[in-house]
């Protein structure tokens, strides 16, 4: 698992964090970019436990912009917990 380090006082770093999540029926693939550099993709199973783990990971990255793949019904399952945590 890749650890993404940011300086919480660095306004520029906060603005340059983006995440993309490919939502599949069995797995979620997260790719995080910082300052135009992509980190290795991270895979999570599409289960309540792993979705919560992914939300927790994203909530530790202040200012991150998260984009979800918007096709299929599995996206809706994931959006609600993420939005309730305030990370999206």
């Amino acid at each position: 698992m890749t650890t993404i380090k940011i300086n919480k006082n660095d306004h520029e770093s906060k603005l340059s964090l983006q995440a993309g999540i490919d939502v599949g029926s069995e797995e979620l693939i997260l790719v995080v970019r910082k300052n135009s550099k992509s980190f290795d993709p991270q895979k999570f199973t599409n289960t309540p436990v792993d979705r919560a783990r992914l939300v927790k990971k994203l909530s530790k990255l202040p200012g991150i912009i998260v984009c979800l793949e918007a096709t299929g019904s599995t996206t809706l399952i994931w959006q609600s917990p993420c939005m309730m945590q305030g990370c999206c």
Side-chain angles (χ1 to χ4, degrees):
M1 187 79 42
T2 304
T3 302
I4 301 156
K5 296 182 181 184
I6 63 166
N7 178 350
K8 290 183 180 182
N9 297 321
D10 184 1
H11 182 69
E12 186 69 25
S13 290
K14 290 180 185 179
L15 294 176
S16 63
L17 278 171
Q18 303 98 28
I21 302 171
D22 180 19
V23 180
S25 61
E26 295 184 14
E27 74 178 358
L28 307 165
I29 301 173
L30 169 69
V31 175
V32 175
R33 291 177 55 91
K34 179 181 177 191
N35 298 325
S36 301
K37 178 189 181 291
S38 293
F39 292 87
D40 292 334
Q42 299 170 49
K43 294 183 180 182
F44 299 82
T45 57
N46 196 348
T47 61
V49 171
D50 256 12
R51 287 193 301 265
R53 194 167 62 93
L54 178 52
V55 167
K56 185 176 180 181
K57 180 177 199 64
L58 291 173
S59 67
K60 292 180 180 179
L61 300 170
I64 192 163
I65 298 169
V66 180
C67 234
L68 293 175
E69 169 239 350
T71 60
S73 60
T74 54
T75 303
L76 297 175
I77 295 168
W78 196 85
Q79 282 179 334
S80 295
C82 182
M83 288 179 186
M84 288 188 303
Q85 291 287 330
C87 71
C88 296

